[in-house]
Amino acid sequence: MAAAIFVTMTVGCSGGEAEPGTLPAASPALSNAPTASAASADTLDDEERDAGTATAQAALKAFLQRDLPYDSWWAQLKPMLTQEAVFAYEYTDPQSVPATTITGEPLVSAAPSATQMNVLIATGVGQYMIVLYRENARAGWAVDRLTPPEQAGP
């Protein structure tokens, strides 16, 4: 009985007719969906892209320094990583990293939001893909993944 009263009251309040046993669609004024103006504020400008590509390039440069002792290698790389990446890379032997150098400029391949960016960087063994995240649109970038060429895809 209470459910029937709720449906009747909701339909009566919406100003529209509903099929028996169904609830009316949500009012646009009450929707939690982001508006166009809120979404457009979440885009990257040149300065943000430059900061992200600089972080990606610095992290890859540190990652590729395989001749350093582990402690030195890790001390350079760790501050540029997300917490998840710290767990993923902390036991990496620098000697297992392919011997190569960066041969090209970083290129943003995707920036699906103001808090994620994918950067491609050419090396002597192929193109690495570096995935970066940040906590919000004003935070600094951190590397989440350094994907080697054989795993980065075409």
Side-chain angles (χ1 to χ4, degrees):
M1 175 81 173
I5 293 171
F6 173 75
V7 170
T8 304
M9 290 177 63
T10 306
V11 172
C13 293
S14 70
E17 302 272 333
E19 291 293 320
T22 64
L23 294 175
S27 166
L30 301 177
S31 173
N32 288 332
T35 62
S37 61
S40 64
D42 238 6
T43 58
L44 299 178
D45 60 26
D46 289 341
E47 186 176 314
E48 292 169 316
R49 284 178 182 264
D50 290 348
T53 57
T55 300
Q57 190 165 26
L60 183 57
K61 182 179 178 184
F63 183 72
L64 295 176
Q65 292 185 349
R66 62 190 305 275
D67 293 332
L68 290 177
Y70 174 82
D71 291 340
S72 299
W73 177 82
W74 187 237
Q76 288 183 37
L77 183 61
K78 184 180 177 183
M80 295 180 268
L81 302 177
T82 64
Q83 190 61 43
E84 291 81 9
V86 167
F87 291 127
Y89 292 102
E90 72 181 322
Y91 296 109
T92 300
D93 178 358
Q95 294 294 309
S96 69
V97 175
T100 190
T101 58
I102 294 172
T103 60
E105 293 299 314
L107 172 69
V108 175
S109 66
S113 72
T115 58
Q116 180 185 354
M117 180 189 309
N118 298 348
V119 177
L120 300 173
I121 301 178
T123 69
V125 296
Q127 200 168 56
Y128 270 79
M129 182 174 64
I130 294 86
V131 177
L132 300 106
Y133 288 103
R134 58 186 179 171
E135 290 184 28
N136 60 58
R138 290 171 196 80
W141 291 102
V143 172
D144 193 60
R145 276 178 286 178
L146 296 132
T147 307
E150 65 272 5
Q151 297 172 3

